[in-house]
Amino acid sequence: MDKLQIQGGTPLEGEVRISGAKNATLPIIAAALLADDPVTIGNVPHLHDVTTMIELLGRMGVSVTIDEHMKIEIDPSTIRDHVAPYELVKTMRASILVLGPLVARFGSADVSLPGGCAIGARPVNIHVAGLQAMGADISIEGGYIRARAGRLQGARLVLDTVTVTGTENLLMAAVLADGETILENAAREPEVVDLANFLIAMGAKIEGAGTDKIVVQGVKKLHGTHYEILPDRIEGGTYLVAGAMTGGNVRIKRTRPEHLDAVTAKLQEAGAKVGVGDTWIEVDMRGKRPRSVDVRTAPYPAFPTGMQAQFAALNTIADGVGTIIETIFENRFMHMLEMRRMGAEIRLEGNTAIIKGVQKLTAAPVMATDLRASASLVLAGLVAEGRTDIERIYHIDRGYEAIEEKLAQLGAQIKRVPN
């Protein structure tokens, strides 16, 4: 297994191209199951999670081809079975996204519960309740959600909590249902809008994506299409924070600035000069130490949970005391303990982290614990004195395409080495 080695202390300078969004790619690959004809998807990021989703479709017999530019062609007409097995689902919760399309298109789905978790606190119950309201017969047996249905019926679905994957699963199910489906309290994330635009390109009738009320008129069938994935806002935000933390000047290209408003506002608060164009954002913190910022995560368009760890890293070396409040996921502070090993002054109280900035971090061996947490350790390593070794970087590879190459292109001293 590889690890990352980072020699800290270099201000980042230059520009970097942002890859396609992981969290749009996964539901869009699942949505290809709904089509009668082949679909092609472009701007697909080369990530471990994307490979897992493609492997899942391949297991079902779906024909998937990938060219050297990561353009994917998916032909669902060759599908043999409708099972998402535990060994694949356990590695990636997003595998649950095949549930809605399989039931809507084929009337049958056996999908392992993500990570073998029980229905309850995690919002898989929202996916199940929604499909049941649309007429699916669902049971939970042996760790699998087993769903059967004739043609699904349109329904008014009020989601208990704002859930991105729940919104996406039910949206995909609704496009082939008989009649009108209304999704209330729907997630408003750009990735949900991208999925809706992909479905519309295949012939779906959807209004209101990007608001908390989505209205779908079911159609009999969907056709093939070609679609380009939107840029990854979390990847973009990570490189902007890296530029600000290191006292550098970084421009991200091929991004959608409007999706990063909450992030750029916090960077300005931290003292960075922010420039914005049609498809680029630039952060300039040359020669300055960032100021601490307070962050509270909330569903889009508020501050994204996926950027919480990166701002925690920024606060560790900022001037002042900053508070990070995580409202979306429990257990998303594991990276804080690793940053303490590098000399960060962090106090944890439930879902709140109080971080007092220090003049400098000191390199130490650390371990990535989840996807975004691992990005924060890379950022900490970029400013730490000495050489930081980061283990378990398979977490990083789930969501960041060629992170060491992109950072090296900005001047970082970083390399991937065998463990």
Side-chain angles (χ1 to χ4, degrees), residues 201-214:
M202 292 197 295
K205 295 182 177 171
I206 301 167
E207 287 179 357
T211 74
D212 59 6
K213 181 181 177 180
I214 302 176

Side-chain angles (χ1 to χ4, degrees), residues 88-157:
L88 283 178
V89 177
K90 73 178 179 185
T91 66
M92 185 180 71
R93 285 184 58 79
S95 310
I96 189 83
L97 287 164
V98 298
L99 178 63
L102 287 174
V103 178
R105 174 86 170 75
F106 305 103
S108 161
D110 292 341
V111 178
S112 170
L113 286 166
C117 69
I119 291 270
R122 294 184 183 237
V124 179
N125 56 332
I126 294 175
H127 307 230
V128 170
L131 289 168
Q132 285 173 324
M134 297 168 78
D137 180 21
I138 299 181
S139 60
I140 312 292
E141 297 165 31
Y144 277 76
I145 302 168
R146 301 190 188 280
R148 301 291 181 269
R151 187 174 182 195
L152 294 174
Q153 300 299 307
R156 179 168 174 264
L157 308 175

